[in-house]
Protein backbone atom coordinates (compact mmCIF):
# COMPACT_ATOMS: atom_id res chain seq x y z
CA UNK A 1 0.00 0.00 0.00
CA UNK A 2 1.03 3.56 -0.65
CA UNK A 3 1.27 6.24 2.06
CA UNK A 4 3.00 9.34 0.64
CA UNK A 5 5.59 10.71 3.08
CA UNK A 6 4.66 14.35 2.37
CA UNK A 7 1.18 13.83 3.83
CA UNK A 8 0.05 13.65 7.46
CA UNK A 9 -2.42 11.03 8.70
CA UNK A 10 -4.99 10.37 11.45
CA UNK A 11 -5.78 7.22 13.39
CA UNK A 12 -9.23 7.42 11.72
CA UNK A 13 -7.62 6.94 8.26
CA UNK A 14 -7.82 10.45 6.84
CA UNK A 15 -4.85 12.08 5.10
CA UNK A 16 -4.10 15.78 4.97
CA UNK A 17 -1.82 17.71 2.63
CA UNK A 18 -0.68 21.06 3.99
CA UNK A 19 0.06 23.94 1.61
CA UNK A 20 0.68 27.09 3.63
CA UNK A 21 -2.55 27.92 5.48
CA UNK A 22 -4.59 25.63 3.22
CA UNK A 23 -5.06 21.86 3.41
CA UNK A 24 -6.54 19.13 1.24
CA UNK A 25 -8.15 16.12 2.97
CA UNK A 26 -9.19 12.64 1.87
CA UNK A 27 -9.14 9.04 3.07
CA UNK A 28 -6.14 6.73 2.89
CA UNK A 29 -5.57 3.85 0.52
CA UNK A 30 -5.98 1.53 3.52
CA UNK A 31 -9.40 3.03 4.35
CA UNK A 32 -10.75 2.78 0.81
CA UNK A 33 -9.60 -0.86 0.58
CA UNK A 34 -11.32 -1.69 3.87
CA UNK A 35 -14.55 -0.01 2.73
CA UNK A 36 -14.66 -1.60 -0.72
CA UNK A 37 -16.39 0.00 -3.69
CA UNK A 38 -17.35 3.60 -2.84
CA UNK A 39 -20.79 4.48 -4.22
CA UNK A 40 -21.50 7.88 -2.60
CA UNK A 41 -19.64 10.63 -0.74
CA UNK A 42 -21.53 13.16 1.40
CA UNK A 43 -19.39 16.15 2.35
CA UNK A 44 -20.17 19.58 3.85
CA UNK A 45 -20.87 22.84 2.12
CA UNK A 46 -18.23 25.44 1.40
CA UNK A 47 -17.98 27.94 4.26
CA UNK A 48 -18.75 25.45 7.01
CA UNK A 49 -16.48 25.58 10.07
CA UNK A 50 -15.51 22.08 11.20
CA UNK A 51 -13.82 21.30 14.52
CA UNK A 52 -10.94 18.86 14.91
CA UNK A 53 -12.20 15.25 15.21
CA UNK A 54 -15.76 16.34 14.28
CA UNK A 55 -17.60 14.33 11.64
CA UNK A 56 -17.43 16.31 8.40
CA UNK A 57 -19.16 13.87 6.09
CA UNK A 58 -19.70 10.23 5.21
CA UNK A 59 -18.47 7.73 2.67
CA UNK A 60 -20.95 5.10 1.52
CA UNK A 61 -19.68 1.80 0.18
CA UNK A 62 -21.72 -1.13 -1.13
CA UNK A 63 -22.02 -2.71 2.33
CA UNK A 64 -21.36 0.09 4.84
CA UNK A 65 -21.35 3.80 5.62
CA UNK A 66 -18.35 5.35 7.36
CA UNK A 67 -17.97 8.75 9.01
CA UNK A 68 -15.21 11.15 7.97
CA UNK A 69 -13.39 12.93 10.80
CA UNK A 70 -11.73 16.34 10.43
CA UNK A 71 -8.00 16.09 11.27
CA UNK A 72 -7.68 19.76 12.33
CA UNK A 73 -9.90 22.79 12.97
CA UNK A 74 -10.74 24.62 9.76
CA UNK A 75 -13.22 26.16 7.36
CA UNK A 76 -14.24 24.29 4.22
CA UNK A 77 -13.16 26.28 1.15
CA UNK A 78 -13.85 23.67 -1.56
CA UNK A 79 -15.39 20.26 -2.08
CA UNK A 80 -14.42 17.87 -4.84
CA UNK A 81 -17.11 18.24 -7.53
CA UNK A 82 -15.92 15.10 -9.34
CA UNK A 83 -17.10 12.91 -6.45
CA UNK A 84 -20.75 13.75 -7.15
CA UNK A 85 -20.70 11.75 -10.36
CA UNK A 86 -17.56 9.64 -9.82
CA UNK A 87 -17.33 8.55 -6.16
CA UNK A 88 -15.18 5.61 -7.30
CA UNK A 89 -12.27 8.09 -7.64
CA UNK A 90 -11.82 7.60 -3.88
CA UNK A 91 -10.95 3.96 -4.69
CA UNK A 92 -8.88 4.49 -7.82
CA UNK A 93 -6.94 7.62 -6.78
CA UNK A 94 -7.36 8.30 -3.03
CA UNK A 95 -4.44 10.80 -2.86
CA UNK A 96 -5.17 12.54 -6.16
CA UNK A 97 -8.55 12.95 -7.89
CA UNK A 98 -10.26 11.27 -4.91
CA UNK A 99 -9.63 14.16 -2.48
CA UNK A 100 -12.72 15.25 -0.53
CA UNK A 101 -12.40 18.76 0.90
CA UNK A 102 -10.05 21.71 1.02
CA UNK A 103 -9.93 23.84 4.14
CA UNK A 104 -8.32 26.94 5.57
CA UNK A 105 -6.53 25.97 8.76
CA UNK A 106 -7.72 27.65 11.97
CA UNK A 107 -4.57 26.66 13.89
CA UNK A 108 -1.54 25.48 11.90
CA UNK A 109 0.13 24.20 15.11
CA UNK A 110 -2.36 21.29 15.17
CA UNK A 111 -0.60 19.74 12.18
CA UNK A 112 2.30 18.70 14.41
CA UNK A 113 -0.10 16.43 16.34
CA UNK A 114 -0.87 14.33 13.25
CA UNK A 115 0.83 11.08 12.27
CA UNK A 116 3.71 10.69 9.83
CA UNK A 117 3.42 8.03 7.12
CA UNK A 118 5.61 5.63 9.12
CA UNK A 119 3.60 6.21 12.33
CA UNK A 120 0.37 5.56 10.42
CA UNK A 121 1.78 2.39 8.88
CA UNK A 122 2.70 1.16 12.40
CA UNK A 123 -0.89 1.75 13.60
CA UNK A 124 -2.47 -0.23 10.77
CA UNK A 125 0.17 -2.94 10.91
CA UNK A 126 1.70 -2.57 7.46
Amino acid sequence: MNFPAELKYTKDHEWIKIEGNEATIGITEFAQRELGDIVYVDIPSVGKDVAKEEVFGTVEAVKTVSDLFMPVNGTVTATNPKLDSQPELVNSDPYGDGWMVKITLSNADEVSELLSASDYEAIIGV
Side-chain angles (χ1 to χ4, degrees), residues 71-110:
V72 293
N73 291 303
T75 302
V76 177
T77 57
T79 59
N80 187 343
K82 292 180 182 179
L83 298 182
D84 289 339
S85 61
Q86 298 176 284
E88 66 275 6
L89 288 171
V90 175
N91 293 115
S92 62
D93 192 10
Y95 304 115
D97 285 340
W99 66 273
M100 296 182 176
V101 296
K102 294 185 184 231
I103 65 167
T104 299
L105 299 170
S106 297
N107 180 358
D109 292 340
E110 292 174 334

Side-chain angles (χ1 to χ4, degrees), residues 4-98:
E6 69 274 13
L7 304 178
K8 293 290 193 173
Y9 301 87
T10 71
K11 62 179 175 36
D12 297 310
H13 314 293
E14 285 82 25
W15 60 263
I16 181 168
K17 180 179 181 181
I18 307 297
E19 298 172 289
N21 198 35
E22 304 290 315
T24 304
I25 299 166
I27 64 169
T28 65
E29 183 177 354
F30 175 81
Q32 66 82 19
R33 281 190 184 187
E34 290 292 304
L35 288 167
D37 293 337
I38 306 292
V39 295
Y40 182 72
V41 179
D42 182 24
I43 45 183
S45 302
V46 171
K48 179 176 168 89
D49 292 328
V50 185
K52 179 180 177 180
E53 298 180 0
E54 181 179 311
V55 173
F56 74 89
T58 58
V59 175
E60 184 176 334
V62 174
K63 296 181 181 178
T64 189
V65 176
S66 183
D67 288 333
L68 300 166
F69 296 94
M70 185 60 66
V72 293
N73 291 303
T75 302
V76 177
T77 57
T79 59
N80 187 343
K82 292 180 182 179
L83 298 182
D84 289 339
S85 61
Q86 298 176 284
E88 66 275 6
L89 288 171
V90 175
N91 293 115
S92 62
D93 192 10
Y95 304 115
D97 285 340

